[in-house]
Amino acid sequence: MRILVTGGAGYIGSHTVLLLLQEGHQVSVIDNFSNSSPESLRRVASLAGRSLDAYHIDLLDAESLAQAVGEIKPEAVIHFAGLKAVGESVAQPLKYYKNNVVGTLNLLEAMNKAECRTIVFSSSATVYGESTDLPLHENTLRNATNPYGRTKLHIEEMLEELAASDSRWHIANLRYFNPVGAHESGLIGEDPQGIPNNLMPFVAQVAIGKRAEVQVFGGDYLTADGTGVRDYIHVLDLATGHLAALDYLSNSQGVHVWNLGTGAGSSVLEVIDAFARISGRPVPYRITERRPGDVAESYAHPEKARLDLGWKAERGLEQMVADMWNWQSNNPDGFPEANHQLVNAKSLQDFIRGSSPTITE
Ligand code: NAD
Ligand code: UFG
């Protein structure tokens, strides 16, 4: 299939693009590189041994977007592009509504014009808000508690209304739980800018010695060890979920919702312990106050995806941590920043097609 991937240079996008290329699909990526590096796409192309088309376009630039979508003529779109930092969304809500909601609106209009009406959307377990209806089912009441979460909720609703208005649309809302891990090559992975917001990348930076200790946000939850429990899912399992959803949509109209999680929860202390064990490095930690807005536990009821898609997560916490550590220890500073400048000097396409996985100035 000819597939357009928005946000394909990012963490989940890059792993999914790799899988799509390996499965023989023709892939075009649109990204503004606001939270990613073209280097990830170059490594993906090099790992797959196949090229892809990349467009440096912001979804907010409706005109360039429509032109590119018209040129690409995709049969389906996987839509990852979006901003995702909860704290930043509280400080700058308009930036989030504009980027995520308006960006998606522009994309849907461009798709409609190009006669492409199949989309897989990156939603999030964040749409369940502070629900205690565990495990979380697809029909658990939605109730997002911060602007980021509400952008996901508004987009889900917009997609539902679109499908109700026009039966030609094929839509999947995938609600991810907590994506972690990296490709086993150690060549692509999550590259957070500044201080990581999420637990696993923070723990990885403590293990590598970049940060002194992990602050454990709350030790008095009603969980087995008092710390928060989450459903961590390997990014490659998540990526295969997108391929399964695309397959399902090829002969199913309307809106479909699936949780992508493992169904099992791990506590903060279990994650820290697994990381210290597998990396062989000390991971000092200190229990501090709860983080506002956090829930005690969140884990998926993953059965609907298994029944409808024949998909289930295969990799456990040990594998997630081992792959995360492999990525972190091979790339202690993430993707090389120098390559951003090089891309401006060369064309994006030439850069991605370059054969060696790293460039020195
Ligand atoms: P990421 O930041 O690594 O990837 C997002 C990509 O989108 C980046 O490459 C960024 O440059 C690009 N982008 C952002 N705004 C854009 C715009 N206006 N135009 C063009 N490109 C733009 O994030 P990720 O972890 O890979 O997440 C992908 C998607 O999954 C996001 O929509 C996110 O909200 C959602 N999600 C992520 C998580 C998580 O914990 N990582 C959990 C649930 C849902
Ligand atoms: N935590 C710490 N210390 C840290 C960071 C996190 O103790 O430095 C704890 C949190 O309190 C929580 C757990 O680790 O108990 C996981 O926290 P994350 O920030 O890694 O993940 P969240 O579950 O809070 O949220 C993530 C994404 C959301 C997404 C959600 C569900 O940040 O965008 O998963 O997919 F919506």
Side-chain angles (χ1 to χ4, degrees), residues 124 126 148 176-178 198-199 215-217 230 291 294:
S124 168
T126 195
Y148 163 69
Y176 312 156
F177 279 70
N178 290 53
N198 298 116
L199 178 67
Q215 287 188 46
V216 176
F217 299 142
R230 294 293 182 274
R291 184 170 63 177
D294 273 355

Side-chain angles (χ1 to χ4, degrees), residues 83-86 123-127 146 148-149 152 175-180 195-203 213-218 221 227-233 260 266-269 271-272 286 288-291 293-298:
L83 297 173
K84 61 168 184 176
V86 174
S123 189
S124 168
T126 195
V127 300
N146 56 66
Y148 163 69
K152 294 292 178 193
R175 295 184 185 149
Y176 312 156
F177 279 70
N178 290 53
V180 295
I195 302 171
N197 296 304
N198 298 116
L199 178 67
M200 193 78 92
F202 199 102
V203 172
E213 62 176 12
V214 183
Q215 287 188 46
V216 176
F217 299 142
Y221 285 109
T227 66
V229 167
R230 294 293 182 274
D231 186 342
Y232 297 95
I233 174 167
L260 295 185
S266 305
S267 73
V268 175
L269 293 184
V271 169
I272 291 175
R286 185 164 48 92
T288 63
E289 294 294 294
R290 291 182 180 190
R291 184 170 63 177
D294 273 355
V295 290
E297 290 188 277
S298 163

Side-chain angles (χ1 to χ4, degrees), residues 88-100:
E88 189 188 44
S89 81
V90 174
Q92 300 181 64
L94 299 185
K95 178 177 169 185
Y96 272 66
Y97 284 110
K98 188 168 177 183
N99 193 78
N100 293 3

Side-chain angles (χ1 to χ4, degrees), residues 201-259:
F202 199 102
V203 172
Q205 292 196 2
V206 171
I208 199 87
K210 285 179 84 168
R211 303 194 186 275
E213 62 176 12
V214 183
Q215 287 188 46
V216 176
F217 299 142
D220 57 353
Y221 285 109
L222 290 176
T223 57
D225 63 20
T227 66
V229 167
R230 294 293 182 274
D231 186 342
Y232 297 95
I233 174 167
H234 197 293
V235 65
L236 283 175
D237 281 330
L238 205 58
T240 59
H242 291 74
L243 274 76
L246 265 186
D247 211 29
Y248 186 95
L249 290 185
S250 64
N251 49 32
S252 188
Q253 289 156 300
V255 182
H256 307 272
V257 182
W258 291 289
N259 280 340

Side-chain angles (χ1 to χ4, degrees), residues 59-331:
L59 295 191
L60 295 178
D61 177 356
E63 206 175 306
S64 307
L65 177 64
Q67 198 186 332
V69 177
E71 214 173 279
I72 297 163
K73 295 189 180 59
E75 291 160 82
V77 173
I78 306 183
H79 177 34
F80 293 106
L83 297 173
K84 61 168 184 176
V86 174
E88 189 188 44
S89 81
V90 174
Q92 300 181 64
L94 299 185
K95 178 177 169 185
Y96 272 66
Y97 284 110
K98 188 168 177 183
N99 193 78
N100 293 3
V101 180
V102 178
T104 303
L105 185 63
N106 290 343
L107 175 66
L108 294 170
E109 283 180 344
M111 287 174 65
N112 208 15
K113 204 163 147 203
E115 302 280 335
C116 170
R117 296 187 184 86
T118 298
I119 182 167
V120 176
F121 170 60
S122 297
S123 189
S124 168
T126 195
V127 300
Y128 296 120
E130 295 182 7
S131 177
T132 47
D133 174 25
L134 290 167
L136 296 157
H137 289 256
E138 284 80 356
N139 54 8
T140 297
L141 210 66
R142 290 175 293 183
N143 169 34
T145 55
N146 56 66
Y148 163 69
R150 274 188 287 272
T151 67
K152 294 292 178 193
L153 193 46
H154 289 320
I155 295 168
E156 283 200 2
E157 287 169 345
M158 184 158 78
L159 291 168
E160 285 157 14
E161 285 161 355
L162 180 61
S165 74
D166 181 343
S167 61
R168 291 173 299 174
W169 283 88
H170 303 233
I171 298 170
N173 288 331
L174 301 184
R175 295 184 185 149
Y176 312 156
F177 279 70
N178 290 53
V180 295
H183 187 260
E184 64 269 13
S185 63
L187 285 173
I188 54 171
E190 188 173 10
D191 182 14
Q193 310 296 304
I195 302 171
N197 296 304
N198 298 116
L199 178 67
M200 193 78 92
F202 199 102
V203 172
Q205 292 196 2
V206 171
I208 199 87
K210 285 179 84 168
R211 303 194 186 275
E213 62 176 12
V214 183
Q215 287 188 46
V216 176
F217 299 142
D220 57 353
Y221 285 109
L222 290 176
T223 57
D225 63 20
T227 66
V229 167
R230 294 293 182 274
D231 186 342
Y232 297 95
I233 174 167
H234 197 293
V235 65
L236 283 175
D237 281 330
L238 205 58
T240 59
H242 291 74
L243 274 76
L246 265 186
D247 211 29
Y248 186 95
L249 290 185
S250 64
N251 49 32
S252 188
Q253 289 156 300
V255 182
H256 307 272
V257 182
W258 291 289
N259 280 340
L260 295 185
T262 65
S266 305
S267 73
V268 175
L269 293 184
E270 281 169 341
V271 169
I272 291 175
D273 178 63
F275 223 101
R277 202 160 21 84
I278 288 164
S279 67
R281 302 284 183 94
V283 180
Y285 68 87
R286 185 164 48 92
I287 294 182
T288 63
E289 294 294 294
R290 291 182 180 190
R291 184 170 63 177
D294 273 355
V295 290
E297 290 188 277
S298 163
Y299 51 89
H301 190 275
E303 281 305 289
K304 185 166 182 282
R306 193 179 63 75
L307 290 173
D308 294 349
L309 308 177
W311 172 91
K312 83 181 194 17
E314 303 287 347
R315 299 162 178 86
L317 186 66
E318 304 262 313
Q319 183 77 48
M320 301 179 209
V321 168
D323 289 339
M324 190 90 180
W325 176 240
N326 187 34
W327 155 253
Q328 179 71 63
S329 46
N330 280 306
N331 307 268

